[in-house]
Amino acid sequence: MAKVRVNNIELYYEIHGNGQPLVLIEGLACSKWMWFKQINELKKHFKVIVFDLRGIGDSDKPDMEYSIKLFADDTAALVTELGFKKVHVLGVSMGGYIAQELALEYPALVDRLILCSTHYGGPNIVPIPLSTLSIMLNGAGAGNALENLRIAMSLSFSDEYLSTHKDEFEQIVKWKFEKPQPFYAYKRQFYAGLAFDEESRVHLIKSPTLIMAGKDDKIVPYENALLLHSKIEDSEVEFFDNAGHLFFIEKAEEVNQKIVEFLTKPIGGDEKWKERILT
């Protein structure tokens, strides 16, 4: 186990592969298991950095106020402590909030940006469905009640996936069940996400950005990807049919290919982009 001390806590991290550094930022109530279909493929092309946010997994879980800015500060400190000066960043859901904050607060640190199943916050997004919010407010994503975990995790997938990948779904539930998140830490993360609002600043993101979403997302409606696309000038958007909030698990082969293509293609006429060395 590798840990680094940043902002008075210890964060657990792993590094896989070689190449240009790519930081993956997990979502609410999720830890490093989230990337089980990404790491082995992406490490063929990049130096992949995965870590657990404060409040979950093998990182410290202080009972204090969390914020998306604090998560971004943690991430920036982690990247700096590991010796990287510029990285690609991919964030999912709440991890997408953190990725946006990172690009806004630490623009020199972020090369290319990938935002998945996320929004820019505030009153003008397409909101979380009330039925989903009710389950989330009751903390079904935390603790060690197995049936609660199944209920919460089922929200993250399309009905098609749930009917055709029952064993894989149960494995994901098992991973969460074996290392439950304390309820206080879940609430700290959850309320940090609720307070996120960067609608007035998101247009300031200058990193080339790929925005992706599943058309059957029951948590963050896919229309939010279009709103993000309209705000971030240098962005493109990609949708995946018959896929939910964690579409990158459901459609791993297509998503991984899209990630590699986006992060390796020349941008702005720089035909030698692939030859740049990021340290």
Side-chain angles (χ1 to χ4, degrees), residues 118-119 126-129 213-214 217-225 245:
T118 196
H119 57 65
V126 181
I128 297 172
D217 194 329
K218 303 168 188 172
I219 298 176
V220 178
Y222 76 90
E223 292 89 349
N224 287 291
H245 193 59

Side-chain angles (χ1 to χ4, degrees), residues 96-105 107 113 115 118-122 124-125 196-209 211 224-235:
Y97 309 167
I98 300 166
Q100 291 172 66
E101 195 75 15
L102 199 64
L104 289 166
E105 293 294 322
L113 182 65
L115 303 174
T118 196
H119 57 65
Y120 49 60
N124 297 315
I125 62 167
F196 176 68
D197 180 359
E198 285 294 7
E199 181 180 2
S200 66
R201 290 208 304 159
V202 69
H203 70 281
L204 298 175
I205 291 176
K206 301 305 180 185
S207 299
T209 303
I211 303 160
N224 287 291
L226 294 173
L227 294 178
L228 273 169
H229 178 47
S230 71
K231 295 282 189 179
I232 302 175
E233 183 177 359
D234 191 2
S235 68

Side-chain angles (χ1 to χ4, degrees), residues 35-52:
W35 312 113
F36 76 100
K37 284 194 174 180
Q38 274 63 59
I39 290 174
N40 285 340
E41 179 58 32
L42 296 181
K43 73 179 184 180
K44 299 174 185 177
H45 308 273
F46 312 102
K47 187 186 293 288
V48 179
I49 300 107
V50 298
F51 70 104
D52 287 337

Side-chain angles (χ1 to χ4, degrees), residues 19-133:
Q20 295 168 339
L22 167 61
V23 178
L24 307 182
I25 308 179
E26 63 206 26
L28 170 69
C30 293
S31 57
K32 53 193 171 292
W33 64 263
M34 176 178 264
W35 312 113
F36 76 100
K37 284 194 174 180
Q38 274 63 59
I39 290 174
N40 285 340
E41 179 58 32
L42 296 181
K43 73 179 184 180
K44 299 174 185 177
H45 308 273
F46 312 102
K47 187 186 293 288
V48 179
I49 300 107
V50 298
F51 70 104
D52 287 337
L53 298 170
R54 68 168 64 212
I56 198 164
D58 290 310
S59 290
D60 286 351
K61 307 168 186 65
D63 191 2
M64 55 176 285
E65 184 177 356
Y66 297 175
S67 69
I68 299 304
K69 174 64 164 57
L70 179 59
F71 288 132
D73 291 342
D74 288 346
T75 307
L78 171 68
V79 168
T80 301
E81 283 293 319
L82 294 179
F84 301 113
K85 296 180 180 178
K86 203 171 186 70
V87 296
H88 300 312
V89 176
L90 185 158
V92 171
S93 196
M94 189 181 77
Y97 309 167
I98 300 166
Q100 291 172 66
E101 195 75 15
L102 199 64
L104 289 166
E105 293 294 322
Y106 302 91
L109 194 64
V110 178
D111 195 334
R112 301 190 192 190
L113 182 65
I114 301 178
L115 303 174
C116 302
S117 305
T118 196
H119 57 65
Y120 49 60
N124 297 315
I125 62 167
V126 181
I128 297 172
L130 289 177
S131 57
T132 297
L133 188 60

Side-chain angles (χ1 to χ4, degrees), residues 37-38 41-42 240 247-261:
K37 284 194 174 180
Q38 274 63 59
E41 179 58 32
L42 296 181
F240 294 86
F247 67 89
F248 52 93
I249 293 177
E250 298 187 44
K251 306 287 185 178
E253 185 175 351
E254 301 103 298
V255 173
N256 291 341
Q257 181 179 351
K258 186 67 180 177
I259 291 170
V260 172
E261 288 176 354

